[in-house]
Amino acid sequence: MAEIAAVRPASTILLLRDGAAVVDGKSRDEIEVFMMVRHHQIEFNSGALVFPGGSVDAGDKEIVARSDLYSGGEGLSESDRGFRIAAIRETFEESGILLARPKGSSAPIDARRAGELADAHRVALNEHKVSFLSILADNGLQLALDTLVPYAHWITPEGMPKRFDTWFFLAAAPPDQLGAHDGRESTDSIWVSPREAVEGGKSGRFILPFPTTRNLIRLAKQPNVTAALDDARGMSIVTVMPVMTKTATGRQLRIPREAGYDGEVFEVGLPASTVRPTAKDRDLRPR
C-alpha cells in the first residue's frame, strides 16, 4: 500500500468587496472577490485562478506567541490563531493587501500606508530576507484577526502527492486597498464576481480547482459583502476531504452533503474544466 502523504496546515482568504454587473441586460448589485492566476511554473495548481493563501510556517507560530502583534484573537486556540496569521501574511505577500491596524486603533491601516509597506517589504518578505514579525513590530501594527470569518475547511484527498489542511476565511477588503499580483507566484490578478469566475471555469477562460469552484458557487448566492459575512458567521462548518474514484471520463469526487455545496457526488476532469453533479444531485445544482 502506498504511503499517504503528510498534511500541511494552510490558509486562504476570500477578500470581498461590493460591486455591480449587467446580467441579461439588467444592472444588479454583485459581490466581487480578489483572485490571482498561479504562475505556470508553480508545482501546485499551476495556471489556476485561486484565492491568495498558503502554508502556515514557523514565523506565523512566532507571531502567535506575541499577543502584542495582533488583536481579535481572544477565545481562539493557538492553532486557530496560526491559521489566521498565515492567511493574513500570505495575502499580504501575494496581493499587497494588509489586514492590520495601527496599535491602539480600531480602524484598519489606511491604503496609502499599506501600499508603502508593500512597496518597501513585499519582495524581501517573499525572498525570506525579512520576517513578517519584524515588519509588524517595526511599524507598530497589529494583525486584525477578528476581520476573518471562517468559511470552509478542506483537506486534500488521500492519494495526492501534496496534501493540505486548509481553512478558508472571508474578509471584507480594507477601503481602497485594491491588491496586485506579485509577478512571482502569480502572473495576473482580478476582482471578479463569483458568477463570472464560475462561468469562466465552464467556458475554459479560467482553470478552477474543485474546492475553489464549490466555494465560488456558494458565495455567488450572496448579494453583498455584509450578507456574505453574516451568512458565514451563522454557518456550521463541516470538514471536507473528498474521496476520489476514477471513472471512464475522469474522476468522481464524493463530499459530505451536509457541507453545503449543493450535492454529494461530483464529476471532474470533463471538457472545458466543467465540474458538475452526477444525475442524483442535478436537482440541487445552483440556479
Side-chain angles (χ1 to χ4, degrees):
M1 182 179 294
E3 185 176 346
I4 297 175
V7 179
R8 298 169 59 182
S11 304
T12 187
I13 297 181
L14 283 66
L15 287 165
L16 309 178
R17 72 180 187 186
D18 290 324
V22 176
V23 181
D24 297 329
K26 297 180 180 180
S27 178
R28 74 178 192 190
D29 293 337
E30 199 166 38
I31 201 169
E32 293 182 333
V33 60
F34 183 83
M35 302 189 74
M36 307 172 306
V37 178
R38 297 270 291 177
H39 196 288
H40 71 279
Q41 293 181 338
I42 295 291
E43 183 179 359
F44 187 74
N45 280 338
S46 61
L49 186 69
V50 298
F51 314 117
S55 298
V56 180
D57 67 19
D60 301 321
K61 297 175 183 177
E62 291 178 2
I63 296 175
V64 168
R66 289 280 305 271
S67 59
D68 59 311
L69 297 180
Y70 54 85
S71 60
E74 301 82 3
L76 298 175
S77 68
E78 288 191 7
S79 174
D80 289 340
R81 280 177 276 166
F83 278 110
R84 294 187 187 219
I85 289 166
I88 295 175
R89 173 187 52 77
E90 285 281 350
T91 296
F92 179 66
E93 289 181 6
E94 296 186 350
S95 73
I97 294 175
L98 182 57
L99 297 170
R101 305 180 178 102
K103 281 188 179 179
S105 173
S106 60
I109 183 173
D110 67 66
R112 180 188 60 80
R113 181 63 177 142
E116 291 173 348
L117 291 171
D119 291 342
H121 302 295
R122 195 170 159 200
V123 172
L125 184 60
N126 276 306
E127 294 178 350
H128 306 291
K129 294 178 180 178
V130 65
S131 71
F132 197 41
L133 186 154
S134 66
I135 294 172
L136 298 173
D138 293 347
N139 291 279
L141 296 175
Q142 292 183 318
L143 300 180
L145 302 191
D146 53 315
T147 61
L148 274 61
V149 180
Y151 191 61
H153 182 213
W154 286 68
I155 300 175
T156 310
E158 295 178 355
M160 300 296 286
K162 279 195 173 185
R163 302 184 64 223
F164 296 91
D165 176 347
T166 304
W167 275 94
F168 292 74
F169 297 96
L170 298 188
D176 300 320
Q177 290 196 45
L178 302 180
H181 53 284
D182 61 10
R184 295 161 55 91
E185 291 192 16
S186 57
T187 58
D188 200 1
S189 56
I190 184 175
W191 283 96
V192 62
S193 73
R195 172 195 55 80
E196 184 181 356
V198 172
E199 289 174 356
K202 291 178 180 178
S203 69
R205 175 187 173 194
F206 301 131
I207 300 172
L208 294 176
F210 178 67
T212 305
T213 299
R214 301 322 305 173
N215 281 302
L216 285 168
I217 289 173
R218 185 161 72 175
L219 185 61
K221 298 175 183 179
Q222 303 302 324
N224 54 54
V225 174
T226 298
L229 294 175
D230 286 346
D231 179 68
R233 290 188 184 100
M235 190 181 293
S236 178
I237 294 176
V238 175
T239 298
V240 177
M241 186 175 75
V243 176
M244 290 192 301
T245 304
K246 290 185 178 180
T247 68
T249 55
R251 293 172 296 164
Q252 194 177 78
L253 298 182
R254 181 179 295 273
I255 67 175
R257 181 181 293 274
E258 59 270 24
Y261 289 105
D262 300 317
E264 182 178 5
V265 180
F266 298 85
E267 297 173 7
V268 298
L270 299 169
S273 302
T274 300
V275 178
R276 68 187 185 197
T278 59
K280 64 178 288 189
D281 292 316
R282 281 176 192 155
D283 59 319
L284 297 173
R285 187 183 302 186
R287 301 301 196 269

